[in-house]
Amino acid sequence: MKLNWIIKVVQYLTTFFFLGLLLLALFEREMIKDFVMQFSWLIKSFGLYWAGILAIIVLIEALPFLGLFIPGQQLFVLTLGFSHGEVLPAMILTGIAAMFVGNIVSYFLGRRYGDYFLTHFGPGFGIGKTERSYIERWFEKHGSWFLILWKFHNLTASIGALLAGSSGMPFMKFFIPNSFGIILWVGVMSIIGRLFAEHYEKIIDNIGKILGIFAICVIAYLLIFKRESVKRYWREKELEIEEMERAKTK
């Protein structure tokens, strides 16, 4: 019980932190630009020592649920974007190795404790009974693609290997698509990081427009293509909440 409360407190603090960064990006753009410049200077100053710090960050993000506590992907993008010369290959190899280790650890944790993790810690991260059933059905149907593509989201990147282990997926069947997914993830993060490093001032100046267009595209996609799925999800979620309320009153 105490652990669940600690998780909730940390999750709220993390949420407020990211909301604060978003507000700063919208209304204090020069401050965000200064932060990016300072981060760039930090990477250049630490050089190869930063690779060790990056390894710890990526490793933590690859472990079950812990990725939500740190902006691992964002820091990885910035690191690759502002790394140059001989430092860049070291950063890339570090990211690949750390993600490999984290995913393998998560896989074997899933083999032994997967159901326990999802049942006890899932609700604290927004994965209740309904969300878990959706994720597990999608994983059963598209297991390999789940491991490849869902690395681009902090939460699913950490539970993908856990689900593979808890579902009993053979190790090599997990290892091959997961390895391809890691290489693809690092490649895409490298491209995004380089583009951001070259154009971060323009991106920050237009962050409001970018977020607005993104939100409109997501809402339009859900309304046009996923309306029935969203309705079905909310019905199932309401039933789950009602069951929880009835269990509390007993």
Side-chain angles (χ1 to χ4, degrees):
M1 183 63 71
K2 289 183 179 180
L3 183 58
N4 287 335
W5 275 105
I6 293 173
I7 290 173
K8 287 182 180 180
V9 169
V10 174
Q11 190 175 12
Y12 286 137
L13 291 175
T14 306
T15 301
F16 286 131
F17 173 74
F18 282 114
L19 285 175
L21 286 179
L22 176 60
L23 291 174
L24 286 175
L26 291 173
F27 302 108
E28 295 290 342
R29 293 168 186 169
E30 293 304 319
M31 186 181 295
I32 297 298
K33 291 178 185 178
D34 289 339
F35 168 78
V36 173
M37 291 179 64
Q38 291 297 326
F39 190 85
S40 172
W41 173 84
L42 191 68
I43 294 172
K44 293 176 182 177
S45 299
F46 275 83
L48 292 175
Y49 291 107
W50 184 257
I53 299 172
L54 184 66
I56 295 172
I57 293 171
V58 174
L59 177 62
I60 292 174
E61 187 179 52
L63 296 175
F65 300 113
L66 294 180
L68 288 183
F69 292 147
I70 55 173
Q73 292 207 39
Q74 293 79 4
L75 291 176
F76 191 56
V77 167
L78 289 175
T79 298
L80 295 184
F82 289 104
S83 297
H84 299 281
E86 63 180 12
V87 175
L88 180 58
M91 298 299 179
I92 292 175
L93 292 174
T94 294
I96 291 175
M99 182 64 78
F100 261 113
V101 173
N103 283 165
I104 290 174
V105 171
S106 295
Y107 172 82
F108 285 107
L109 282 174
R111 276 279 185 94
R112 192 172 182 88
Y113 305 108
D115 186 68
Y116 178 86
F117 269 99
L118 292 168
T119 301
H120 288 79
F121 301 132
F125 294 93
I127 304 179
K129 182 179 178 182
T130 303
E131 291 80 12
R132 181 178 173 181
S133 66
Y134 272 78
I135 292 173
E136 288 181 342
R137 283 202 302 268
W138 204 93
F139 181 78
E140 289 174 3
K141 189 175 181 180
H142 310 285
S144 296
W145 287 110
F146 183 100
L147 293 170
I148 293 172
L149 298 178
W150 283 48
K151 290 192 180 301
F152 296 92
H153 188 282
N154 294 51
L155 177 60
T156 51
S158 65
I159 68 170
L162 186 78
L163 286 172
S166 63
S167 68
M169 176 182 282
F171 180 73
M172 289 308 299
K173 192 176 180 181
F174 153 78
F175 183 79
I176 293 173
N178 187 69
S179 302
F180 181 78
I182 291 173
I183 295 171
L184 177 65
W185 175 74
V186 172
V188 172
M189 293 299 104
S190 301
I191 295 171
I192 294 175
R194 183 59 60 194
L195 290 174
F196 180 81
E198 293 177 358
H199 306 287
Y200 74 90
E201 291 188 353
K202 292 181 180 178
I203 294 172
I204 293 172
D205 286 336
N206 295 281
I207 190 66
K209 295 178 182 178
I210 295 171
L211 292 175
I213 293 171
F214 178 76
I216 291 171
C217 291
V218 171
I219 294 171
Y221 172 76
L222 293 175
L223 290 176
I224 296 172
F225 299 104
K226 295 293 182 179
R227 182 182 298 179
E228 294 303 318
S229 298
V230 172
K231 288 181 179 179
R232 184 170 63 252
Y233 165 77
W234 282 114
R235 286 196 299 267
E236 294 178 9
K237 191 62 182 178
E238 288 174 357
L239 291 174
E240 179 189 345
I241 294 173
E242 290 175 2
E243 289 179 4
M244 292 172 63
E245 292 297 326
R246 284 197 297 268
K248 289 180 180 179
T249 57
K250 287 183 180 180

